[in-house]
């Protein structure tokens, strides 16, 4: 039934948008006020825990413990909303194997992102402990070894989480591309789910956009004052746009279905609302 599927897609899309919004708020809390107004290059050089030079994390400014803890706690909550949203939109009987692949990849990527947020708390804690013991930009001989080993291990762990996120994004993108290909205009009339997830939705798939702007270095060029926040929150911004498009499409599909089923057309719908 198109009407019930449209309603489910709307609620799933709203959950996905809520998850993206919450995780973006968590980003802002984790980075701290000292990082606001900075260019994107600062994020990639000294804020992102998987940076190529992990020792820069020791002297980078971090948010207060309250903000960091709150941002870390929000991560799993937003991850759950992400999973509900992705499963509700993609995991449908009519979507077949491509839908299963897209949903599983989405869940892997968003759960990995939630874990990344939670583990980021330790990035701030390590930095705060180091700066309390070794104030200044130059490490002292008394604490260099222990902290450098710790931050290197932490950065390596965060790098593994980021690879999980990328793997999930790739699997989800392949599944979504395959799913949308089955809804290409020439096959749209034979596709049961075409009205809910048409072929052009692939344009808003988060994976290709993230790979295009992050892996190519384009995102690094974003200037202040919003560059750092956009760079750190690009994952959630792309997913918010995707779920917004899916939600609007499902709402339009539901409205058109109700109009077709109403005895007196649009006038009957107006009376019901």
């Amino acid at each position: 039934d198109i009407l019930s599927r449209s309603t489910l897609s709307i609620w799933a899309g709203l959950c996905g948008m809520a998850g993206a919004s919450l995780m973006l708020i968590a980003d802002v809390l984790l980075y701290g006020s000292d990082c606001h107004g900075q260019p994107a290059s600062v994020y990639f050089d000294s804020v992102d825990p998987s940076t190529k030079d992990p020792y820069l994390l020791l002297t980078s400014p971090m948010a207060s413990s309250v903000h960091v803890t709150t941002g870390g706690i929000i991560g799993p909550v937003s991850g759950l909303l992400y999973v509900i949203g992705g499963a509700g939109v993609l995991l449908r009987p009519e979507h077949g194997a491509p839908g299963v692949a897209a949903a599983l990849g989405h869940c892997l990527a968003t759960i990995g992102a939630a874990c990344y947020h939670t583990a980021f708390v330790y990035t701030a804690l390590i930095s705060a402990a180091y700066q309390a013991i070794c104030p200044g930009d130059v490490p002292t001989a008394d604490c260099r070894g222990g902290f450098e080993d710790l931050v290197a291990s932490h950065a390596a762990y965060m790098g593994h989480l980021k690879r999980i996120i990328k793997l999930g994004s790739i699997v989800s993108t392949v599944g979504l591309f395959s799913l949308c290909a089955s809804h290409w205009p020439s096959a749209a009339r034979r596709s049961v789910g075409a009205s809910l997830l048409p072929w052009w939705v692939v344009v808003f798939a988060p994976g290709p956009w993230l790979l295009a702007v992050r892996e190519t270095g384009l995102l690094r060029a974003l200037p202040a004052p919003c560059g750092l926040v956009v760079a750190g929150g690009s994952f959630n911004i792309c997913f918010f746009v995707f779920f917004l498009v899916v939600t609007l499409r499902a709402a339009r599909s539901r409205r058109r279905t109700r109009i077709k089923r109403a005895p007196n057309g649009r006038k009957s719908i107006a009376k019901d609302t």
Side-chain angles (χ1 to χ4, degrees):
D1 180 72
I2 293 292
L3 188 60
S4 61
R5 291 205 306 269
S6 298
T7 302
L8 178 60
S9 290
I10 291 172
W11 283 109
L14 291 174
C15 284
M17 285 191 289
S21 300
L22 279 177
M23 196 169 283
L24 184 59
I25 292 173
D27 284 332
V28 175
L29 291 173
L30 288 172
Y31 302 150
S33 57
D34 290 340
C35 291
H36 300 166
Q38 300 289 335
S41 58
V42 174
Y43 170 80
F44 292 106
D45 289 339
S46 60
V47 176
D48 185 2
S50 61
T51 178
K52 293 182 179 179
D53 186 1
Y55 306 121
L56 291 175
L57 298 173
L58 292 174
T59 56
S60 62
M62 292 292 173
S64 66
S65 59
V66 175
H67 285 178
V68 169
T69 302
T70 303
I73 292 174
I74 291 176
V77 177
S78 56
L80 176 61
L81 292 172
Y82 259 138
V83 169
I84 294 174
V89 169
L90 301 169
L91 197 59
R92 303 287 188 81
E94 66 270 17
H95 290 167
V100 174
L104 290 178
H106 170 84
C107 292
L108 180 63
T110 52
I111 290 173
C115 293
Y116 196 88
H117 264 254
T118 303
F120 190 94
V121 175
Y122 290 95
T123 305
L125 296 178
I126 294 170
S127 176
Y130 175 84
Q131 294 179 38
I133 298 174
C134 304
D137 295 334
V138 180
T140 64
D142 294 336
C143 60
R144 175 186 295 181
F147 273 99
E148 287 188 351
D149 292 341
L150 178 61
V151 75
S153 299
H154 175 68
Y157 173 73
M158 298 298 275
H160 291 316
L161 286 179
K162 182 162 286 189
R163 282 186 281 274
I164 290 174
I165 297 171
K166 289 180 180 179
L167 175 62
S169 297
I170 292 172
V171 173
S172 179
T173 299
V174 171
L176 185 60
F177 268 62
S178 177
L179 178 59
C180 290
S182 67
H183 295 166
W184 193 257
S186 60
R189 294 184 180 87
R190 302 190 300 272
S191 180
V192 177
S195 62
L196 298 180
L197 202 62
W199 64 270
W200 51 261
V201 169
V202 74
V203 176
F204 300 94
W209 286 105
L210 289 170
L211 290 173
V213 299
R214 291 182 70 102
E215 302 305 318
T216 61
L218 291 176
L219 198 60
R220 187 184 181 87
L222 288 178
C226 300
L228 188 147
V229 174
V230 173
S234 56
F235 179 93
N236 304 299
I237 294 172
C238 289
F239 272 96
F240 182 90
V241 172
F242 171 74
F243 281 114
L244 175 62
V245 170
V246 170
T247 303
L248 293 176
R249 176 65 180 179
R252 181 172 179 267
S253 176
R254 185 178 68 170
R255 183 173 180 274
R256 294 179 65 179
T257 302
R258 292 179 63 196
I259 290 174
K260 289 180 181 180
R261 293 182 179 182
N264 298 319
R266 293 180 180 269
K267 293 183 180 180
S268 176
I269 296 298
K271 292 180 180 179
D272 293 339
T273 56

